Amino acid sequence: MRIITGTEIISRPSKFLLLVLLPVINPHARAVDDSGSSEAPRYGTAPTGEPYELAGKRLVFANWYYVRPGKFSWRDAKENIVTANAQPIGPLEAHMVMQDSPRGIRLVMERPQRSGPLLQPERPWEKEGINFITLIHDLDRYRAWGGCQAGKSNSFCYFESSDGLKWTRPELGLVEFEGSSKNNLIDVAAGSVFIDPSSPPEERYKAVRLSDKHTIADLTDYIKRRPKDIDWRSERGDINYLAYPIMGAVSADGLHWKLKPEPLIVEHSDTLIVAYYDSILRKYVIYTRNWMVGPQSANARDPRRQRWLDMGRRSIGRTESDHFGDFPLSDVILEPGPDMAPSDVLYTNCKTTIPGAPDQHLLFPTVWHTSDDTTTVVAASSHNGKVWHYLPGPPVLETANFGEWDGGSVFASPNLVELPDGAWALPYSGFNFPHKYPRGSWAYRPGYVLWPKGRMVALEAKDQGEFATVGLVPPGRRLRMNAVTQRGGRILVEVADIDGKTRVGHSFQEAVPIIGDQYRTPVTWGKEGRLVEEAGEPIILRFRMEKARIYWLDFE
C-alpha cells in the first residue's frame, strides 16, 4: 500500500476546490504561495518548535526542555544521507553521524542549607507561632504574608524586609487585637498572595484561600449557576457538614483586601492553595490539594460521600481560568507514585517559579510520611506548569531531630526568591511537634532553605560531556554563566545560527574557557562578548564540558 501525500492530493483536479474550502475549514489558515514561501499554514493551533523565547532573562537547566535531543543519520561512503526506505546496502557500507547529540551529562540537585528561625514571637498575637504563607520580592523590598497564633486566636500578619533576612512588623492599624490596632495584623481575606501583571492597579494583588465558614446550604446560588463546578467531597460530614470553597480576594496594596462575593471554585482543598497569573497562557492558575481516588461503584450497597476520605491519597491538583473566577474543578497533575512508600502522601504543593525565569516552574511538595508522622520536602520541575517530573537526588528538606524548633514537621511555602547576595531562598514553616500530634503545646516558626549563589540544580559532566540548546531568541546580546569546574576542568561555548552553522568568531576554538568557581561570569570569544548583532536573531548555544557543573545562564 502506498501512502498518498498531501502534496499529491493538492496536485489533483480537486486542488481548486480544496483551496476554496480551506478558509471555511479554518479561518486562521494561511495558504503557501506559489513562490515557495516556507511560511507554514496554521490549522487552529499555534506553531511549535524552535526558536523558543524566554519570558525572563535566565535559563536554568531544571529539566531537558532547553537541551536538544540530538539528531542522527545514516550516511553512505559519499556522505549522502540514506533512509530506512533506501535501497539495501551492506553493513560496512554506511556509518552513523550524530549532530548536536548530548552525551556525558546529567541533571543533579544540590543539597541546600537550612536557616532559621527567621523570626521569634515578640508580640501577644504571636505567642504560639509565626509562619510565612507567601513571600514575594516586590520591587525594592521583600514582603511576607503569614499566620500568627495566640491560644485559639488565628490571624494573618504582615512582614517587610529590605534584604530578606531582617524582618520588621509595620504598624498597619487595620485589625484590633486586645483593644489596640497598633499591630501588623491584616484582614483574613489575605491568604496565598500573588502579583497580577495583567490587572488594573486597584487589583494588582490577588489572593486565594480556603474558607471554612460555609455549608452546602450557603452555596445555593453558586450551585444553581455552576452545578458542574462543585465537588461534593468538599462537604465534610465529619466536621459539621462544612463545605470548603476556595475564595478569592483583590487588593491595590496587598494590605487592604476586598473579598470576592462568590467562591472561585468549590472543592475539598483543605491546605495551602497557591495561585498565579501565567503570562504565557494568559490565564489564572490555581494549584490545589486533590486526591488520588477512584470512582465509587454504581452497585455500592451502602453508598456514602465520605467513603473516599480514609483511603484517598492526598495529591496535587491544577485548574485554570481566563479570568479570576469561575474555575473548573481541578485535575490531578502529581500524585504519590510507585517510587514512594504506599503510606506517603503529597500534603502541600508549594508552587513557585525560578527567580528571573517566570516561565520555568517548580514544585516543592511536602511529603507526609503517615507511617511515622514525619515530613520531607521534595522538588519537581516543569516547562509549562502542567507536566511535572521529580528532580533527582535526596529530599530538599527533612524533619530535624526531635527537640529542635523544626523537629516535628516542615512545610515549604512559596515563593523561591533571590536574596541580595545571590542566594536562592525558599521559606518553610518548622513545627516543634509532629503534624498530627495533639496541638495544645505546639509552636511554629519561619525558616529558609538556602542555595548559595542560586546553585540549586545543575547540568553536570563528571568527566567529558557536550550538549546544545534548542534554538533560542536570546533576551539580550551578552551572556553570563553560573558554573563550577573541578581541577583540570573547563567549559567552552560556541554560538551557531538556527540552522546549526557556527557563527564567525564564536567557535569553540575562539571561546575563552570558563574555569573554576564562576558566578555570573561573562562568556566571551577573544575580545568579543556579543552573542548577536541585532536583537531577535535566533541562535543555538553549544557546550563542551570537562568536570563541570552549569547552573544557569543570564542574558543581558
Side-chain angles (χ1 to χ4, degrees):
M1 180 179 71
R2 188 170 68 89
I3 298 175
I4 300 175
T5 66
T7 304
E8 291 176 298
I9 293 175
I10 295 177
S11 67
R12 294 182 177 186
S14 59
K15 173 181 178 181
F16 177 77
L17 179 61
L18 178 62
L19 292 178
V20 170
L21 292 177
L22 189 59
V24 178
I25 297 171
N26 187 342
H28 302 291
R30 297 177 298 172
V32 181
D33 60 27
D34 294 334
S35 65
S37 170
S38 61
E39 187 177 16
R42 299 187 182 187
Y43 300 104
T45 59
T48 58
E50 56 188 1
Y52 291 179
E53 190 162 353
L54 302 176
K57 292 198 171 185
R58 177 169 290 167
L59 191 158
V60 179
F61 297 105
N63 45 54
W64 298 125
Y65 184 67
Y66 294 106
V67 176
R68 299 181 76 84
K71 179 181 179 180
F72 79 91
S73 60
W74 285 99
R75 304 195 182 194
D76 61 20
K78 295 181 179 181
E79 294 299 323
N80 296 315
I81 296 178
V82 293
T83 68
N85 296 324
Q87 293 295 323
I89 58 177
L92 301 180
E93 296 179 80
H95 60 281
M96 191 168 66
V97 175
M98 306 296 293
Q99 182 179 355
D100 287 335
S101 181
R103 66 178 184 85
I105 61 172
R106 64 171 186 167
L107 293 176
V108 295
M109 188 87 175
E110 293 277 12
R111 280 189 174 274
Q113 302 172 3
R114 62 202 301 160
S115 175
L118 301 175
L119 288 166
Q120 293 285 3
E122 296 178 359
R123 309 295 168 85
W125 54 89
E126 302 171 345
K127 184 178 179 181
E128 295 182 17
I130 314 168
N131 68 352
F132 288 172
I133 296 174
T134 306
L135 170 63
I136 292 176
H137 187 198
D138 188 8
L139 300 177
D140 61 343
R141 56 183 169 162
Y142 297 84
R143 309 182 69 183
W145 293 261
C148 42
Q149 181 171 349
K152 294 184 178 180
S153 174
N154 292 301
S155 305
F156 288 95
C157 42
Y158 173 76
F159 306 92
E160 282 188 359
S161 174
S162 60
D163 60 4
L165 299 174
K166 298 177 182 178
W167 292 89
T168 62
R169 299 168 170 84
E171 289 189 358
L172 304 176
L174 298 176
V175 178
E176 185 175 298
F177 183 87
E178 295 182 353
S180 174
S181 60
K182 291 184 177 181
N183 55 54
N184 62 325
L185 299 176
I186 58 177
D187 190 270
V188 295
S192 175
V193 180
F194 67 98
I195 296 175
D196 180 3
S198 69
S199 69
E202 61 270 20
E203 295 186 0
R204 181 172 185 257
Y205 296 86
K206 290 183 170 63
V208 291
R209 70 180 302 265
L210 193 69
S211 174
D212 59 358
K213 297 180 180 179
H214 292 76
T215 66
I216 292 296
D218 299 326
L219 303 174
T220 302
D221 293 340
Y222 177 96
I223 295 172
K224 287 181 179 179
R225 191 172 71 86
R226 300 172 58 189
K228 294 182 179 180
D229 293 331
I230 182 166
D231 186 345
W232 293 102
R233 289 179 300 186
S234 62
E235 185 183 32
R236 289 287 296 270
D238 58 328
I239 313 178
N240 299 321
Y241 290 93
L242 287 175
Y244 284 84
I246 297 174
M247 307 300 294
V250 297
S251 172
D253 58 5
L255 300 174
H256 301 79
W257 292 92
K258 181 180 180 180
L259 187 67
K260 295 181 73 69
E262 189 174 79
L264 303 178
I265 184 175
V266 178
E267 63 176 66
H268 187 72
S269 185
D270 61 333
T271 186
L272 177 64
I273 306 156
V274 180
Y276 75 103
Y277 178 78
D278 193 307
S279 59
I280 305 298
L281 299 175
R282 296 184 180 180
K283 292 179 180 291
Y284 295 93
V285 181
I286 299 179
Y287 286 81
T288 69
R289 165 182 286 173
N290 209 310
W291 298 79
M292 179 184 176
V293 61
Q296 189 179 70
S297 170
N299 298 317
R301 295 183 179 181
D302 182 22
R304 296 181 187 177
R305 289 180 181 168
Q306 297 301 316
R307 291 290 190 193
W308 63 273
L309 190 58
D310 290 337
M311 46 71 61
R313 288 180 172 84
R314 294 165 176 85
S315 303
I316 297 173
R318 179 188 182 279
T319 180
E320 63 181 40
S321 174
D322 57 6
H323 66 285
F324 194 54
D326 293 349
F327 285 83
L329 296 177
S330 68
D331 295 317
V332 173
I333 50 95
L334 193 64
E335 63 184 17
D339 56 334
M340 298 171 61
S343 54
D344 287 349
V345 298
L346 299 178
Y347 208 80
T348 56
N349 63 68
C350 186
K351 165 62 174 64
T352 182
T353 56
I354 289 173
D359 55 344
Q360 298 172 52
H361 307 270
L362 296 173
L363 284 173
F364 290 96
T366 292
V367 181
W368 179 32
H369 308 282
T370 63
S371 59
D372 61 359
D373 204 4
T374 60
T375 52
T376 58
V377 175
V378 297
S381 71
S382 172
H383 66 274
N384 61 7
K386 301 176 183 179
V387 180
W388 292 90
H389 302 280
Y390 287 110
L391 286 168
V396 169
L397 184 66
E398 297 178 283
T399 304
N401 295 327
F402 196 70
E404 298 186 30
W405 69 276
D406 54 354
S409 54
V410 290
F411 299 89
S413 300
N415 284 287
L416 184 68
V417 298
E418 189 165 8
L419 301 182
D421 65 356
W424 289 2
L426 181 73
Y428 77 95
S429 300
F431 291 75
N432 61 335
F433 286 146
H435 179 52
K436 294 299 183 180
Y437 195 82
R439 297 171 181 174
S441 300
W442 77 346
Y444 52 91
R445 310 281 186 270
Y448 274 156
V449 181
L450 290 171
W451 288 272
K453 297 183 179 180
R455 292 172 176 171
M456 184 187 76
V457 61
L459 197 156
E460 179 189 58
K462 295 190 70 174
D463 190 9
Q464 293 185 337
E466 60 183 52
F467 72 98
T469 67
V470 297
L472 299 167
V473 177
R477 299 186 184 183
R478 297 179 184 272
L479 181 67
R480 291 179 180 269
M481 184 185 297
N482 184 0
V484 173
T485 69
Q486 298 178 27
R487 183 177 300 178
R490 65 175 185 168
I491 301 169
L492 299 174
V493 183
E494 180 175 271
V495 184
D497 294 327
I498 192 69
D499 60 3
K501 183 179 179 181
T502 302
R503 292 203 162 194
V504 175
H506 291 77
S507 67
F508 285 125
Q509 291 73 25
E510 295 159 302
V512 176
I514 302 291
I515 299 173
D517 188 327
Q518 302 292 338
Y519 174 72
R520 300 197 74 245
T521 297
V523 178
T524 58
W525 298 264
K527 295 182 179 180
E528 179 59 72
R530 290 175 298 179
L531 292 169
V532 293
E533 293 293 335
E534 300 292 337
E537 294 182 41
I539 59 172
I540 293 171
L541 296 173
R542 295 189 178 114
F543 296 81
R544 288 180 181 171
M545 306 167 60
E546 296 179 39
K547 298 179 174 61
R549 288 187 175 189
I550 298 175
Y551 295 93
W552 38 258
L553 309 173
D554 271 353
F555 297 86
E556 59 182 27

